[in-house]
Amino acid sequence: MPSDLIGLRRRHPRPPVRMVHLGLGAFHRAHQAWYTAVSEPGWGIAAFTGRSAGAAEVLVSQDCLYTLVVRSDQGEETQVVESIVEAHDGTDLEALRTLLRRPEVAVVTLTITEKGYHLGADGHLDEQDAEIAADAVTLGPALEPGEGPALRTVPARLLCALRARHLAGAGTVAVIPCDNLASNGPTTTSLLRDLASLAGSDTAWIDETVDVVGTSVDRITPHVSAEEVAALAHAHRNDDATPVVTEPFRSWVLSGRVRGVRPAWELAGALFVDDIEPFERRKLWMLNGAHSLLAYSGILRGHDTVAQAVADPECRAQMHALWDMDEHGLAEHPALHTREYRRDLEARFANSAIAHSLRQIAADGSVKLRNRVVDVLIRERAAGGDGDAATTVLAAWVRFVRAELRAGRALEDAAAARIAEAVGSPDPVRALIHVISPQLAEDQSVVRRVQYRS
């Protein structure tokens, strides 16, 4: 960075750590950290990285401060967010255990991506996953790694730290998953119980100590390239090496019991509801499902960003067909206002000031599509529909992975090895669908429709 740039400075006293976040990345910093900064400046966040220590090191070097750049076609606004006060390597289990033993630390939020939960196609803990199996052995009945190998997965680290809190008598804690999973609250609860059981431990203490809150989260936050980091530093005359770019829209819907204290996020616009499932479906099916469709169809048609893909008449027509089917599946919930929601989505997708990479969205399709497309397709088929719009998405994914492998590119997908094996099988389309959903792979009509389009 040029030497004449101004360093970021805190305007307020550093708040104490009262909240832990797992999965330090751009979305957390545009969403949960922003909501906390705006609503509860007295709540400091200790954030742990997901994949590497690099993000924590950069953030620590600038006092855990960063610039949030909110962009639209009308211009941009910036603010320095001060809610993160510590940043740690995600593998630093002792720091996580130490923090959760403190009674004043009352909330743990998660943005570890869909694959970070290590779920199988049935939505439950994949006990055959090599890393999960190894972590269960390392934890043992005491859920204490001791001198054994380092824990490899976020679920195992979280379970170990929650157990440490329980044994310390530090009180209840709210665990709040903020990832794009159907029923992410109940899924996280069963994940913790299943992993504890796999390790040979009891699970009663989880209900005694842990409140899991379901959520639906929404704010488009693309990856920021090194070139854009430099351009933003020059434009704003600061030395921020890790700014976050996002859109004006934001939404956070939560549901569940919290016996302890939590930030009053509703002061920043968060919504607490009794039944979150309809909100989850609307977001997963309509926003995330359309994102996946645009990613695979858009890349195949030569586009790089969401804004480019949604401007393509063919991609846009496919998107509207998918939304028509989604609306049919959500018709019993008129309070969701799906017609207005899809109109707003189209405007958000067309925001040319947000360069949302299609390849960023396309990663880990085998996991993402289960929540974004499979659920609504199964429901549509059960109701007697053909599910054409959803099979279009699956077919685009099939064409995409085949094209990637033909071009010699490595698939960025948790199931890359299984996908490559399926592509080389005698019945590749059925085998690929099976990677995503064994149930759909048995539906002859779905398989034929995907074969026809791929």
Side-chain angles (χ1 to χ4, degrees):
M1 294 286 183
S3 59
D4 61 336
L5 297 186
I6 300 170
L8 301 179
R9 297 289 184 270
R10 288 188 179 272
R11 296 175 300 159
H12 307 99
R14 179 189 296 264
V17 174
R18 303 193 65 190
M19 175 174 158
V20 165
H21 180 78
L22 306 183
L24 174 59
F27 181 76
H28 165 64
R29 293 189 286 144
H31 197 273
Q32 301 89 36
W34 178 87
Y35 273 93
T36 304
V38 171
S39 62
E40 292 280 10
W43 281 67
I45 300 171
F48 288 74
T49 60
R51 294 186 177 90
S52 70
E57 293 167 356
V58 173
L59 207 54
V60 167
S61 72
Q62 51 192 56
D63 196 21
C64 293
L65 300 172
Y66 61 93
T67 309
L68 185 67
V69 182
V70 180
R71 281 183 176 166
S72 71
D73 287 327
Q74 285 70 51
E76 68 178 37
E77 297 179 359
T78 65
Q79 70 179 96
V80 175
V81 179
E82 302 184 30
S83 53
I84 298 177
V85 295
E86 293 182 17
H88 301 271
D89 182 347
T91 63
D92 192 344
L93 179 61
E94 195 48 47
L96 180 60
R97 283 155 55 92
T98 297
L99 285 163
L100 285 187
R101 288 190 187 105
R102 299 178 186 171
E104 69 272 18
V105 175
V107 172
V108 180
T109 52
L110 313 173
T111 54
I112 58 176
T113 74
E114 294 95 328
K115 69 179 179 181
Y117 292 79
H118 294 266
L119 304 175
D122 61 358
H124 294 284
L125 179 70
D126 184 359
E127 297 184 0
Q128 304 306 311
D129 181 289
E131 292 188 331
I132 287 292
D135 279 353
V137 172
T138 298
L139 285 171
L143 302 181
E144 166 64 60
E147 299 301 318
L151 295 175
R152 304 179 186 184
T153 68
V154 175
R157 294 177 201 136
L158 175 60
L159 182 66
C160 180
L162 291 172
R163 180 66 171 177
R165 180 184 184 87
H166 173 72
L167 294 176
T172 60
V173 61
V175 173
I176 306 179
C178 299
D179 288 291
N180 293 319
L181 298 173
S183 303
N184 60 14
T187 295
T188 301
T189 300
S190 66
L191 175 74
L192 293 171
R193 290 174 180 158
D194 291 347
L195 182 54
S197 296
L198 186 63
S201 177
D202 71 292
T203 62
W205 65 272
I206 296 174
D207 290 333
E208 295 172 14
T209 307
V210 183
D211 293 327
V212 180
V213 178
T215 68
S216 174
V217 297
D218 192 356
R219 196 170 203 184
I220 295 172
T221 308
H223 171 73
V224 180
S225 68
E227 293 76 15
E228 191 167 13
V229 169
L232 285 168
H234 177 76
H236 300 295
R237 307 306 303 161
N238 66 40
D239 61 359
D240 189 351
T242 181
V244 177
V245 174
T246 192
E247 63 172 338
F249 182 92
R250 68 259 178 183
S251 172
W252 197 1
V253 186
L254 305 96
S255 180
R257 175 183 67 169
V258 178
R259 286 170 289 178
V261 294
R262 62 163 178 81
W265 290 307
E266 51 268 71
L267 296 177
L271 179 66
F272 284 78
V273 299
D274 293 330
D275 183 10
I276 199 168
E277 189 172 344
F279 294 92
E280 285 182 332
R281 290 180 186 166
R282 182 183 68 174
K283 196 262 180 171
L284 286 168
W285 295 358
M286 299 187 74
L287 186 149
N288 299 119
H291 261 168
S292 289
L293 168 65
L294 293 172
Y296 302 123
S297 285
I299 289 171
L300 291 167
R301 291 177 60 79
H303 304 305
D304 297 317
T305 68
V306 171
Q308 291 170 359
V310 83
D312 182 321
E314 182 168 333
C315 291
R316 191 166 62 250
Q318 293 173 351
M319 179 181 73
H320 281 289
L322 181 64
W323 282 345
D324 288 343
M325 189 187 71
D326 293 338
E327 281 198 272
H328 179 258
L330 296 167
E332 63 184 289
H333 304 288
L336 294 178
H337 304 293
T338 53
R339 182 60 50 170
E340 293 85 352
Y341 185 75
R342 67 187 278 174
R343 185 173 60 240
D344 291 343
L345 280 181
E346 189 161 8
R348 293 167 63 194
F349 290 173
N351 180 0
S352 60
I354 296 290
H356 199 179
S357 166
L358 296 177
R359 287 198 169 271
Q360 178 185 352
I361 299 166
D364 293 309
S366 68
V367 180
K368 291 176 178 177
L369 291 175
R370 291 171 191 161
N371 296 294
R372 302 177 178 198
V373 175
V374 169
D375 185 29
V376 66
L377 177 53
I378 289 174
R379 291 170 185 270
E380 182 73 6
R381 295 289 294 145
D386 56 31
D388 253 1
T391 59
T392 296
V393 186
L394 296 182
W397 177 73
V398 168
R399 295 199 310 274
F400 169 78
V401 297
R402 282 172 152 175
E404 292 293 286
L405 292 173
R406 279 198 304 269
R409 287 188 286 267
L411 286 177
E412 189 176 343
D413 196 292
R418 290 182 62 202
I419 291 169
E421 182 180 355
V423 168
S425 71
D427 191 354
V429 171
R430 187 185 302 277
L432 284 167
I433 295 173
H434 192 275
V435 172
I436 298 174
S437 170
Q439 181 178 344
L440 286 180
E442 296 302 316
D443 187 324
Q444 300 297 333
S445 177
V446 167
V447 173
R448 283 196 302 269
R449 291 173 188 277
V450 174
Q451 287 172 334
Y452 177 75
R453 289 172 170 81
S454 57

